[in-house]
Amino acid sequence: MRKRISNYILPLLLSSLLLVPVAGRSQTKFEKVTIIQEKEKVPFYQGTAIGVEVAGPISHLLGSDILNSEVQVQSNLKNMFFPTVEIGYGKTDSFNEDTELSYKTSAPYFRVGLDINALYKKPHLPGWLLVGIRYGFTSFTYDVKGPAMQDPNYGGLVTVPFDYPGQKSKAGWVEIVCGMKARIYKGFCMGWSVRYKRRLSITANENAEAWYVPGFGKNGETSFNFTYNLIYNLPF
């Protein structure tokens, strides 16, 4: 009886030992095929979108002295990387009643940068959570005018006009961007972002500093603003 049992057990053990490495090899091949298929499901290029910023014009219509209007072009790579170019136009014609100073400027600006989709592993969702960075630059001319000042060197008897038109300047800055974009109907989307800006450089003038920088905002070390875009995904 024992001999009969051993005769059955020994072949079973041998067959199991032979099947283990075979099963292991088959599973590894299956996993490799699955990974390749998953990678193939995510195309590298997934389209380009063009957007128009509307918060700036609406704010200007509601009474703001500053107008920002810009167009955004953004490509989608693997649903993860979104290289972005933004071209805009900024202007202001403001008057401060307390200081009686007027400031006027208008000029184009541009930004270039990259957004990363934090939800890139979930392509089934109808939107994207984007975090990115921009570099912005503008070259502009501004006019500053105010009440005449008395020259203290002449006992206040001589007045000096405070009028400096055509002051030229250049400015560069970096932006940290965080926002969302969502599909609303077929190829149409809407998106918003908050932006923290830090000035890198600006050309200073001896007579009068720039009060507003197109694309950056009010002149200072930092700036903060909100954008809202209406977006269309191009059919190619």
PDB file of all heavy atoms in Angstrom, residues 3-4 80 158:
ATOM      1  N   LYS A   3       3.886   1.499  -1.027  1.00  0.00           N
ATOM      2  CA  LYS A   3       4.600   1.601  -2.298  1.00  0.00           C
ATOM      3  C   LYS A   3       3.703   2.220  -3.359  1.00  0.00           C
ATOM      4  O   LYS A   3       4.136   3.019  -4.183  1.00  0.00           O
ATOM      5  CB  LYS A   3       5.069   0.218  -2.743  1.00  0.00           C
ATOM      6  CG  LYS A   3       6.223  -0.313  -1.901  1.00  0.00           C
ATOM      7  CD  LYS A   3       6.675  -1.649  -2.428  1.00  0.00           C
ATOM      8  CE  LYS A   3       7.866  -2.198  -1.603  1.00  0.00           C
ATOM      9  NZ  LYS A   3       8.328  -3.510  -2.111  1.00  0.00           N
ATOM     10  N   ARG A   4       2.384   1.843  -3.334  1.00  0.00           N
ATOM     11  CA  ARG A   4       1.463   2.400  -4.324  1.00  0.00           C
ATOM     12  C   ARG A   4       1.318   3.916  -4.137  1.00  0.00           C
ATOM     13  O   ARG A   4       1.292   4.690  -5.100  1.00  0.00           O
ATOM     14  CB  ARG A   4       0.098   1.744  -4.185  1.00  0.00           C
ATOM     15  CG  ARG A   4       0.107   0.291  -4.665  1.00  0.00           C
ATOM     16  CD  ARG A   4      -1.289  -0.289  -4.513  1.00  0.00           C
ATOM     17  NE  ARG A   4      -1.303  -1.681  -4.928  1.00  0.00           N
ATOM     18  CZ  ARG A   4      -2.385  -2.475  -4.888  1.00  0.00           C
ATOM     19  NH1 ARG A   4      -3.525  -1.956  -4.419  1.00  0.00           N
ATOM     20  NH2 ARG A   4      -2.324  -3.743  -5.285  1.00  0.00           N
ATOM     21  N   MET A  80      -0.490  64.349 -19.806  1.00  0.00           N
ATOM     22  CA  MET A  80       0.299  64.690 -18.613  1.00  0.00           C
ATOM     23  C   MET A  80       1.009  66.024 -18.752  1.00  0.00           C
ATOM     24  O   MET A  80       0.971  66.851 -17.844  1.00  0.00           O
ATOM     25  CB  MET A  80       1.310  63.583 -18.327  1.00  0.00           C
ATOM     26  CG  MET A  80       2.144  63.813 -17.082  1.00  0.00           C
ATOM     27  SD  MET A  80       3.250  62.416 -16.758  1.00  0.00           S
ATOM     28  CE  MET A  80       4.041  62.958 -15.238  1.00  0.00           C
ATOM     29  N   VAL A 158      10.752 128.793  -7.873  1.00  0.00           N
ATOM     30  CA  VAL A 158      10.788 128.188  -9.208  1.00  0.00           C
ATOM     31  C   VAL A 158       9.996 126.878  -9.172  1.00  0.00           C
ATOM     32  O   VAL A 158      10.200 126.049  -8.283  1.00  0.00           O
ATOM     33  CB  VAL A 158      12.242 127.914  -9.651  1.00  0.00           C
ATOM     34  CG1 VAL A 158      12.250 127.218 -11.016  1.00  0.00           C
ATOM     35  CG2 VAL A 158      13.038 129.204  -9.701  1.00  0.00           C
TER      36      VAL A 158
END
